[in-house]
Amino acid sequence: MNNTKFAWFRSPRFRYAWLLHKRALRVSGILLVMCAVLMVASIAIGSQYVPPATVVKAVFGQADPMNQVIVEKLRMPRAIVAVLVGASLAAAGAVLQGIIRNPLTSPDVVGVTEGASFGAVLFVYVFTNQVSIHWMPLASILGAFAVTGLLYVLAWKKGVSPLRLVLIGIGISAAIKSLSYMLIISGPLQLADRSLTFMTGSIYGVSWERDVATLLPWIAVLLPFTWLQARKVNIQVLGDDIAVSAGARVQRDRLLLLLLSVSLAGSAVAIGGAISFIGLMAPHMARRLTGPSFGSLLPVSALLGAIILLAADLMARTVFFPRDIPAGVFTAAIGAPFFMYLLYRKRNGNG
């Protein structure tokens, strides 16, 4: 091993150590700058253009009152939510692909996203105006867990075949989506307007108090804790036999990683809705840039997920202006052909 290619991070107090490829650090730095630039562009472009320099001034509270309101109150929460939701969905997809060892897996493909959407719609249907909106991520996570449990029960046949898991997940996803639409149709018009956000995947109309404050604590805890489990994902990818021989507690670690993946996806869907294919595309792109090591893969996947959703939301606001198209429409338009391409590669033994 050439030590000049790696950076070491040790924490004797918590008995953790990380080995990161310096290339991954460079890629992460470049993507972080790209994400920041795209955030500024997303905030600047709209029905009223705000120069990037003014956007930066507004971040520090130095802009004129009108631009300060546009940036701080209207556009900045949307950009921050796009980053948080995109990063969470990408990280959830990376973990899921690692523990299932299937490149076709992502939260939306196997039905986790639809389960989370159903939990959020059910929360609005039952508890609207009764319980604080800050509990919606919990309802969304519980819906995701319920669908995940059902998926494993139906896919189990002397073990879980990756292809069987994907096929059953697609069927469950369609069934859960039908249940969500039944709730929307049977409820009042106000419920329909609010719930369609979760079904199409949109971050339109988000705010600091309702959305950023609700989502940020979940992601601030879940993402770093997931990164701390990088070694467990790396050894899971090698297969159960090798992982057991290396001393890993395979079933316990797999359950923990699954809980983290579902929690990340569920909390993101609670605010951003059923935005599809980010959890599939971002990890694949990250592997091309950094390789399969999860310690490098996770942060790069998260940054790519944030960039993808920022770009999709920017196009959603501008391409068909003055209409604000749901960002999930653009991610699906890109992700569906990408998924078919992966199926084709796997069919021909290249994936």
Side-chain angles (χ1 to χ4, degrees):
M1 180 187 300
N2 187 355
N3 290 330
T4 61
K5 294 183 179 180
F6 295 88
W8 292 84
F9 299 90
R10 291 188 178 91
S11 177
R13 179 180 177 184
F14 298 104
R15 296 191 298 175
Y16 269 97
W18 296 271
L19 178 65
L20 296 178
H21 203 289
K22 289 182 179 179
R23 178 186 174 186
L25 292 176
R26 289 194 297 270
V27 170
S28 297
I30 293 171
L31 291 176
L32 191 61
V33 172
M34 289 177 60
C35 186
V37 170
L38 196 53
M39 282 188 72
V40 172
S42 179
I43 295 170
I45 299 172
S47 57
Q48 179 170 331
Y49 177 74
V50 179
T54 304
V55 172
V56 176
K57 288 181 181 179
V59 171
F60 295 98
Q62 301 298 318
D64 61 89
M66 184 179 70
N67 284 325
Q68 190 72 39
V69 170
I70 292 174
V71 171
E72 185 178 344
K73 299 295 184 182
L74 301 179
R75 297 183 185 171
M76 193 184 298
R78 185 164 180 167
I80 291 175
V81 166
V83 169
L84 294 176
V85 170
S88 300
L89 291 173
V95 173
L96 208 56
Q97 289 177 12
I99 60 177
I100 297 178
R101 302 192 297 276
N102 185 351
L104 300 178
T105 307
S106 70
D108 46 287
V109 172
V110 298
V112 174
T113 298
E114 294 301 337
S117 297
F118 179 73
V121 171
L122 188 62
F123 177 89
V124 174
Y125 187 85
V126 176
F127 297 110
T128 186
N129 299 324
Q130 299 179 25
V131 180
S132 171
I133 194 70
H134 290 85
W135 289 103
M136 187 180 287
L138 180 59
S140 186
I141 289 171
L142 290 176
F145 276 126
V147 169
T148 303
L150 178 62
L151 173 62
Y152 257 80
V153 169
L154 295 177
W156 187 270
K157 187 178 181 181
K158 297 180 181 180
V160 176
S161 164
L163 183 58
R164 184 182 178 86
L165 195 69
V166 171
L167 292 176
I168 293 177
I170 292 172
I172 289 178
S173 178
I176 297 299
K177 181 178 287 189
S178 299
L179 290 176
S180 297
Y181 279 125
M182 285 180 62
L183 279 179
I184 293 172
I185 292 171
S186 63
L189 183 60
Q190 182 182 5
L191 171 66
D193 290 339
R194 205 169 170 189
S195 298
L196 283 174
T197 299
F198 301 106
M199 304 306 297
T200 56
S202 173
I203 53 176
Y204 172 79
V206 297
S207 66
W208 288 105
E209 297 79 10
R210 187 187 65 222
D211 302 290
V212 177
T214 299
L215 183 59
L216 185 59
W218 291 86
I219 307 307
V221 173
L222 290 171
L223 267 182
F225 188 68
T226 303
W227 189 59
L228 291 176
Q229 310 305 310
R231 295 175 300 177
K232 297 177 181 178
V233 181
N234 287 333
I235 201 167
Q236 292 263 342
V237 172
L238 298 175
D240 291 358
D241 293 338
I242 295 177
V244 170
S245 65
R249 300 178 181 179
V250 175
Q251 297 304 324
R252 189 194 70 173
D253 293 346
R254 183 171 294 157
L255 177 61
L256 174 61
L257 292 166
L258 182 62
L259 293 176
L260 289 170
S261 176
V262 173
S263 298
L264 282 167
S267 57
V269 170
I271 303 301
I275 297 174
S276 57
F277 291 111
I278 289 179
L280 177 72
M281 294 186 291
H284 279 276
M285 297 167 64
R287 286 190 196 93
R288 295 286 185 181
L289 295 173
T290 67
S293 176
F294 193 75
S296 303
L297 180 67
L298 181 67
V300 173
S301 295
L303 286 168
L304 284 169
I307 289 170
I308 290 171
L309 188 52
L310 273 171
D313 185 58
L314 181 58
M315 289 189 293
R317 290 191 292 108
T318 56
V319 171
F320 297 100
F321 184 81
R323 295 190 177 185
D324 197 324
I325 307 299
V329 172
F330 286 87
T331 60
I334 300 171
F338 187 82
F339 181 64
M340 289 187 287
Y341 164 72
L342 291 177
L343 281 173
Y344 176 79
R345 286 190 61 193
K346 193 170 182 64
R347 176 179 176 269
N348 286 276
N350 298 320

